[in-house]
């Protein structure tokens, strides 16, 4: 079974631009969660989608948004990029209707904002 | 909010040694998870613990869910060079139909050959 895939793996943007990251979950998984990972803050939860609906949300500004498609693939968007948005963005999928099944992570997208 | 404490930030051990890592919180969790992250990759699930007091092994790894539900530890026995990486603990709380996963900041493990 293929794992979680994320595209692109690396991205360089400049301040003020916007970016869209993509995540394809493990086949059959319906829940997709997004995390931001930085050296100082560790793994910070962004949001979780299940069956095309946002089920949970972390404490990030409205510049961070996401969506999920009917095939469970998910995208996250960051508008008006800031230098502090430079991070590894991780997506995790689980086969979960109630949030109890474990999450499997993709390799991440490394975003650098100049 | 809920926080998980992992310390120290870095650990240095000799190949063949055992190492133990703790994860503590002031909050109760229903599930404890341990992940390992290699450079340039996403975290990989090592062990999941679902019941207070539970002790689970996965090869050279052993983890326990604390009785108070506020802590967990991970032991690695007979370390080898490929054990190098960042080890994260994570705790989950379930509220109704939703659950939230909180991560510690991780411990970077170095193994000297």
């Amino acid at each position: 079974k293929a794992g979680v895939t994320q595209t692109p793996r690396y991205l360089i943007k400049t301040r003020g631009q916007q970016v869209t990251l993509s995540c394809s979950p493990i086949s059959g998984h319906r829940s997709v969660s997004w995390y931001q990972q930085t050296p100082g803050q560790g793994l910070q939860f962004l949001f979780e989608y299940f069956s095309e609906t946002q089920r949970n949300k972390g404490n990030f500004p409205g510049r961070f948004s996401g969506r999920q498609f009917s095939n469970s693939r998910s995208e996250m968007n960051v508008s008006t990029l800031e230098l502090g948005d430079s991070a590894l963005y991780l997506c995790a999928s689980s086969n979960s209707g109630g949030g109890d099944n474990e999450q499997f992570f993709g390799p991440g997208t490394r975003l650098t904002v100049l | 909010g809920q926080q998980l404490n992992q310390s120290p930030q870095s650990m240095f051990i000799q190949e063949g040694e055992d190492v133990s890592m703790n994860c503590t919180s002031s909050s109760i969790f229903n599930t404890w998870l341990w992940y390992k992250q290699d450079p340039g990759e996403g975290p990989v699930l090592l062990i999941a613990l679902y019941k207070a007091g539970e002790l689970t092994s996965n090869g050279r790894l052993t983890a326990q869910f604390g009785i108070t539900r506020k802590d967990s530890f991970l032991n690695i026995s007979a370390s080898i060079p490929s054990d190098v990486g960042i080890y994260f603990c994570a705790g989950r709380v379930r509220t109704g139909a939703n659950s939230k996963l909180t991560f510690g900041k991780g411990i970077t493990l170095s193994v000297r050959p």
Side-chain angles (χ1 to χ4, degrees), chain B:
Chain B
Q2 294 162 325
Q3 286 186 325
L4 294 183
N5 302 308
Q6 287 186 266
S7 66
Q9 215 171 359
S10 304
M11 298 180 82
F12 299 85
I13 60 173
Q14 199 73 34
E15 183 178 358
E17 287 183 341
D18 299 346
V19 63
S20 183
M21 305 177 190
N22 284 346
C23 188
T24 62
S25 173
S26 57
S27 306
I28 287 174
F29 289 95
N30 304 123
T31 301
W32 285 90
L33 307 167
W34 285 92
Y35 286 87
K36 181 193 177 207
Q37 186 175 26
D38 291 328
E41 300 295 329
V44 173
L45 182 64
L46 298 174
I47 292 181
L49 302 157
Y50 301 104
K51 207 164 67 168
E54 180 181 352
L55 184 72
T56 297
S57 292
N58 177 7
R60 293 179 297 105
L61 309 178
T62 302
Q64 185 158 30
F65 190 143
I67 291 289
T68 64
R69 296 200 285 157
K70 293 182 179 180
D71 64 334
S72 175
F73 73 75
L74 172 73
N75 278 350
I76 303 173
S77 63
S79 59
I80 59 178
S82 63
D83 290 333
V84 164
I86 305 175
Y87 290 81
F88 293 97
C89 63
R92 181 164 59 220
V93 171
R94 182 154 186 196
T95 50
N98 292 329
S99 69
K100 185 185 169 188
L101 199 59
T102 303
F103 283 83
K105 292 197 174 178
I107 293 175
T108 300
L109 179 67
S110 299
V111 179
R112 289 187 292 260

